[in-house]
Amino acid sequence: DGIRYVERSRGLGDVYKRQSFDLILCTEVLEHYLHDELDLAVAELCRVSRNYILVSTPFNENRNLNKARCALCLTEFHSSLHMRSFDEKKLSNLFQLHGLGVNTACKTGRSPYRSSLLGQLNSMLTGYYHVYYEGMQCPVCGNVKFDRPRARVNPVSLVLEGMNWMLGKCLPSRSHNVVVLFEKRRD
């Protein structure tokens, strides 16, 4: 989970020795890093791993579906602050540079289909963003007070959200996460 990045930012240096752990578990973390932080985090995971790294991330997430908008600075952002989306190939490319190969990979969980086009149209026409939760914070200004407009108040929003709900019932669901077990190559 980006141990080295945290250590560098605190000036602690390398707390864990090389190859300290047989298995590293990294779940629902990598999608939150900016590009340079991601490289540091992956390098540190590989450095402290002796044999395996088990990684789980959202699978091919459409980040537009979980957009929120800050009422103060008008910044649009992913409600869980996801910065990127992964599939098995993207993950494999990240770890391959550090001498790890894919041992096993699978997709887990099910998510109903949602149209990002309908969601974007809804927010454009009505200002409604369907994703708000307690404790959400704007990454730009730090605002934590979000007024959640109710979709049912606006007939256009009600129709668009209803269409998305119907699509979710009619179209096949998709995998929610990708889980990959990486193994250090023994050359």
Side-chain angles (χ1 to χ4, degrees), residues 23-27 52-56 95 104 179-182:
L23 171 70
I24 306 286
L25 176 63
C26 180
T27 102
Y52 301 100
I53 300 174
L54 183 62
V55 177
S56 169
F95 286 87
T104 307
V179 181
V180 182
L181 178 63
F182 293 100

Side-chain angles (χ1 to χ4, degrees), residues 18-139:
R18 284 181 77 63
Q19 301 182 356
S20 295
F21 303 99
D22 288 328
L23 171 70
I24 306 286
L25 176 63
C26 180
T27 102
E28 308 302 311
V29 173
L30 297 179
E31 64 274 11
H32 295 276
Y33 284 110
L34 296 171
H35 187 71
D36 56 338
E37 295 170 339
L38 177 65
D39 293 339
L40 285 172
V42 169
E44 183 62 7
L45 290 170
C46 295
R47 186 186 74 80
V48 298
S49 170
R50 185 175 304 123
N51 297 314
Y52 301 100
I53 300 174
L54 183 62
V55 177
S56 169
T57 67
F59 173 68
N60 278 340
E61 179 184 31
N62 183 341
R63 293 181 305 133
N64 288 325
L65 291 177
N66 292 316
K67 267 191 187 173
R69 184 176 190 182
C70 177
L72 293 180
C73 70
L74 304 180
T75 298
E76 288 185 357
F77 58 96
H78 187 279
S79 62
S80 296
L81 301 180
H82 292 179
M83 302 302 213
R84 64 187 24 80
S85 178
F86 290 101
D87 58 19
E88 181 186 333
K89 184 172 173 67
K90 288 179 187 173
L91 283 173
S92 177
N93 290 341
L94 273 176
F95 286 87
Q96 188 176 28
L97 297 172
H98 299 279
L100 279 87
V102 174
N103 176 301
T104 307
C106 67
K107 296 177 190 87
T108 65
R110 303 304 302 163
S111 291
Y113 176 85
R114 283 190 49 87
S115 165
S116 61
L117 178 63
L118 289 175
Q120 288 172 340
L121 191 59
N122 193 2
S123 60
M124 260 182 11
L125 294 176
T126 68
Y128 172 71
Y129 287 78
H130 71 280
V131 181
Y132 287 95
Y133 61 86
E134 192 68 32
M136 189 167 69
Q137 183 176 9
C138 174

